[in-house]
Amino acid sequence: MLWYSQTGHTARIGKLIAKTLEGEGLAVESGPMAETEPAQAAGYDLLVFGAPVYYMDVPANVKKWLARLPDLSGIAAASWATYGGAGDNPFNTACGLLEPAAGKKAVPVGMETFGNMSTFSPTWSALGQKARILKYRDLPNEQTYEKGRRYARALLQRVREKKPLEVKRGFSISGALTTFNPMWWTKRMINRHEIDPAKCIRCFACAKTCPAGAISPDQREVDRGACLACMGCINNCPADAITMEYLGRPVYGWKRFCRENGIVIAEPRELVS
C-alpha cells in the first residue's frame, strides 16, 4: 500500500484500506512512495498505489516513481485517486496510476476515487473562491470511509476469484486540457515564491513535503525551476514562512485555511487511537 500525500487526504485513505485488509487477515505493509524503492514492489502479492489528482493528472513525481517499477508478472495491482471539490479527471488519474504497473505485467484488479476538499491554496487565497472550496468542507466523511472499506474488500475478492480488471480511460474535457501543461501555466502565474527568514523556524516541513527537492530551508531558497507548483510547501509550513504571490496576490496555505474556517477533518474510526 503506497501513496503520495501532502495534506493527508490520500494517506488517510491508504491507511484505511490497509487496516481493512489487515482485518481480513492479510499482512500489509504501507507508507509513502518516497520512502520505498520501486524495485521492492516485486516482492508482494498485491500492490495498491494512491495519489491525489494534480493538474487533472497523476502528479509528475509519481509518474517518475511508477516508471521505475520492475517486472511485476502475475502480481495483482490496484489504485486510488483523491480529488478536491467536484473533481477534475479523477477516474483517468486512477487509470494513470495503474497503467505503469499493468505495463510491467501486473494484473489490474481495481480502481477507485475519493473526494475531499480542494487543497490548491491559490483558489481560496488569491482567486477569491473560498465559498467554492467550503462547499465540500464535510469531505471526507463517514460515507467516504465506508466506500474505502468496500473497495478494500472488493480488491481482495477479485484477487481470490482471479478476476482481472480492464484499465480503460474515459474522455473528459479536463483530461484533454492536460495537453496544454497546466502546471507550466500555473508556475508562470506565481510571481513570488520565497522563504521568509524572519518567520522560518527551521522545522524543515517544506523540504520534507517537496517532491522535487526544490526547497532549501538552510539557504532560505526555493529552486523555482525545479518546483512542481504542488503547493506542498505553503500548505504544510506551520509558521507561514513561505511567501508566495499568485497573479500578484498573496497566497496562504492549508493549515491556516483550516484554522480560520474551523475545519477539522473527520478520521475513520480505524485510525483513531
Side-chain angles (χ1 to χ4, degrees), residues 172-192:
S172 72
I173 294 176
S174 56
L177 291 175
T178 60
T179 59
F180 295 99
N181 195 353
M183 182 181 71
W184 185 90
W185 288 102
T186 296
K187 289 179 68 171
R188 302 285 78 74
M189 297 175 190
I190 297 174
N191 311 109
R192 293 182 63 192

Side-chain angles (χ1 to χ4, degrees), residues 121-239:
S121 43
T123 307
W124 61 69
S125 53
L127 299 178
Q129 297 185 35
K130 184 168 75 172
R132 180 163 70 85
I133 303 296
L134 291 175
K135 181 180 178 181
Y136 300 92
R137 66 179 299 153
D138 65 316
L139 296 179
N141 55 21
E142 179 54 27
Q143 287 72 35
T144 309
Y145 299 140
E146 184 56 32
K147 182 180 180 181
R149 297 178 193 110
R150 290 196 304 269
Y151 178 53
R153 296 187 185 105
L155 291 180
L156 183 56
Q157 188 66 23
R158 277 188 168 272
V159 171
R160 287 172 172 168
E161 295 178 357
K162 298 182 180 180
K163 292 176 62 175
L165 178 77
E166 181 182 9
V167 182
K168 186 176 181 181
R169 292 178 180 244
F171 174 78
S172 72
I173 294 176
S174 56
L177 291 175
T178 60
T179 59
F180 295 99
N181 195 353
M183 182 181 71
W184 185 90
W185 288 102
T186 296
K187 289 179 68 171
R188 302 285 78 74
M189 297 175 190
I190 297 174
N191 311 109
R192 293 182 63 192
H193 191 182
E194 306 165 353
I195 298 175
D196 185 342
K199 292 183 178 180
C200 180
I201 59 175
R202 290 175 53 79
C203 67
F204 296 93
C206 57
K208 292 174 184 176
T209 306
C210 179
I215 301 205
S216 176
D218 283 330
Q219 281 73 45
R220 308 292 200 271
E221 293 178 351
V222 177
D223 183 343
R224 295 187 61 181
C227 173
L228 299 178
C230 68
M231 308 299 158
C233 58
I234 197 162
N235 278 338
N236 286 282
C237 177

Side-chain angles (χ1 to χ4, degrees), residues 10 42 53-54 83 102 115 120 129 135 143 154 173 179 182 185 197 217 232 240 267:
T10 309
V53 178
Y54 272 14
Y83 62 93
F120 188 67
Q129 297 185 35
K135 181 180 178 181
Q143 287 72 35
I173 294 176
T179 59
W185 288 102
D240 288 333
E267 296 285 344

Side-chain angles (χ1 to χ4, degrees), residues 57-58 66 91-100 111 167 169:
D57 200 357
V58 176
L66 292 170
F91 176 78
N92 287 338
T93 298
C95 289
L97 285 166
L98 194 50
E99 287 165 344
M111 296 182 294
V167 182
R169 292 178 180 244

Side-chain angles (χ1 to χ4, degrees), residues 19 62 108 114 131 164 186 194 240 248 257:
K19 282 286 187 182
V62 175
F114 300 90
T186 296
E194 306 165 353
D240 288 333
F257 181 70

